[in-house]
Amino acid sequence: MALSRIWSAFIVIAITVACFKFFAGDRKIFAKMVTGKADDAYDTVYYRMTGPATQSGMTSQEAFAKYIGGFGYLPADSLHQPAVIIAADVQSDSARMLQSLYPAVTVKTYKNIQSGLVRNADGIIETCKSAVNICLGLIGIMALFMGLMSIAERAGGIRLLSRIIGPFFSKLFPEVPKGHPAFGHMMMNFSANLLGLDNAATPFGLKAMESLQELNPHKETASNAQIMFLCLHASGLTLIPVSIIATRASLHAHNPTDIFVPCMIATFVATVAAMLIVSFRQRINILQPVILAWIGGLSALIALLVVYLAHLQAEHMQLFSSALSNGLILAIFVLVVLAGAVYKNINVFEAFVDGAKGGFETAIRIIPYLVGMLAAISLLRTSGTFDVAINGMKSFFSVLGTDTRFVDGLPTALIKPLSGSGARGMMVDTMKTYGPDSFAGLLSCILQGSSDTTFYVVAVYFGAVSVKNTRYAIGAMLLADLVGVITSIVLCYLFFGAVA
């Protein structure tokens, strides 16, 4: 029911905002929401600007011009008359002088211009196509890794992994019998996430959900074990944010790796928060010696890795991460195949094909869930709801007299639970607008690395096992996301507080 209410709320809020925009003069808003394409160019609007841009939350007219340039706003010149005058105060002498030169032109404040900006995004029709394409793209990856998982199960590798991790997981998942294959599947998923291997993490995670579903007495309601697993998965614990570092390097950041330590700390705190939140809800005693020993050991390993990687240059860190991640994937392939063919003497290809069939079925089964969720998210983005929320927060904190630099980085945090690619695009947009070494640019990178896409995870993983009642899973995930966001903001001020 929780997912149903949230989904309905997304749609109602988005269409309500769109109606306000329509009656305010945006006659194209409904067309954008239904048939719009992200690669469509914005309508060009030429403008003249006067007065300080501080009302917009930016330090100069140049910064504001660069920002609105991404929405199709260009300075008027000798060939193009302005369609709008942007002023700090519509009653100012400079604004009136410009209006006398261009009587038919509308005068708007910096704040009003910002409130009307809507980022280009696919409408619901294109989004539905994209959702199906995502699922079709998953088929090959799902078939490969679930086929590999089938070999590992028949060779006894999953049960071996379950026995190794069992003492720790049996405390966090008391409803799962000791030695159950679900422990091995979850461990494979967490390991892939840790290394940033999204393509491998999804099949392992879906297999873990299927294993946990076998133990679930109420098939349409999420079990405690499934909620704990998904909350830990959605916290997105990753050792090395390679894609973020690479993006910063491509945008010519002075030191692309400077967000590595804050990202590592933020995602670790979010993961621990997720574990604590669900443990409190399920009345699991976290202070058990086994749990403390595993968390302490993992913390020590992460600290050592941070110390080592902090001394590497950006290109060396990317090489190390690539070698570690891809090398481990190939090592798993070799070990699984050798264990099946030599140690257990099974027909490894037949086992692979049997598992791969399941991967195909799972990828197809999640299509309706993904279409529904991405369509709702598309409505939120194309209606301009995100921009309304950001501008509202900036105004609120400005009234309080607090530092508002962090607000410019928040769009990434708002979109991250809804869309991974959308958040990545917002991160890039923030760095392009304010600069990769600006406070907003640095914060957007830390926020991008602090959590996973909550609603995508819920739609895909619960959809794969046909769970309709997610209970408190979404609330727990969003609360852990909030902890990650707050931690990211605090860390950004601690590490980069002097940055403009």
Side-chain angles (χ1 to χ4, degrees), residues 24-167:
D26 188 354
R27 302 303 182 188
K28 296 182 179 180
I29 187 69
F30 294 149
K32 289 179 182 178
M33 294 174 68
V34 177
T35 60
K37 294 183 179 180
D39 55 0
D40 285 344
Y42 288 100
D43 293 333
T44 301
V45 179
Y46 292 96
Y47 66 87
R48 290 287 300 272
M49 196 183 302
T50 181
T54 52
Q55 187 188 79
S56 67
M58 299 183 189
T59 56
S60 65
Q61 287 186 349
E62 291 74 18
F64 186 77
K66 188 176 180 181
Y67 174 67
I68 63 175
F71 296 88
Y73 281 76
L74 297 177
D77 54 30
S78 58
L79 297 177
H80 302 95
Q81 293 293 310
V84 62
I85 296 170
I86 306 174
D89 181 359
V90 296
Q91 300 299 326
S92 65
D93 292 338
S94 57
R96 290 185 177 186
M97 183 183 69
L98 283 174
Q99 193 170 27
S100 66
L101 296 175
Y102 309 101
V105 172
T106 303
V107 181
K108 293 186 178 182
T109 64
Y110 290 97
K111 190 175 181 179
N112 287 338
I113 288 292
Q114 278 185 301
S115 64
L117 298 176
V118 178
R119 297 184 184 278
N120 254 6
D122 285 337
I124 54 176
I125 292 177
E126 292 297 319
T127 297
C128 291
K129 295 178 183 177
S130 299
V132 174
N133 289 335
I134 290 172
C135 293
L136 292 177
L138 278 176
I139 290 177
I141 298 167
M142 293 284 295
L144 173 64
F145 283 101
M146 294 189 87
L148 187 70
M149 189 83 72
S150 177
I151 300 173
E153 285 180 343
R154 297 190 190 186
I158 298 299
R159 290 198 175 275
L160 175 63
L161 197 58
S162 300
R163 286 197 294 270
I164 294 172
I165 198 68

Side-chain angles (χ1 to χ4, degrees), residues 291-351:
I291 295 179
L292 293 178
W294 273 85
I295 294 177
L298 181 59
S299 301
L301 287 174
I302 290 175
L304 290 173
L305 185 64
V306 167
V307 172
Y308 171 69
L309 292 175
H311 293 87
L312 295 181
Q313 295 181 350
E315 59 272 19
H316 293 155
M317 184 183 291
Q318 292 180 38
L319 287 173
F320 175 83
S321 174
S322 177
L324 179 64
S325 303
N326 296 319
L328 284 176
I329 284 290
L330 295 177
I332 291 172
F333 268 71
V334 171
L335 290 174
V336 167
V337 171
L338 288 179
V342 179
Y343 179 66
K344 285 292 186 177
N345 195 27
I346 62 175
N347 187 331
V348 290
F349 187 72
E350 181 181 323

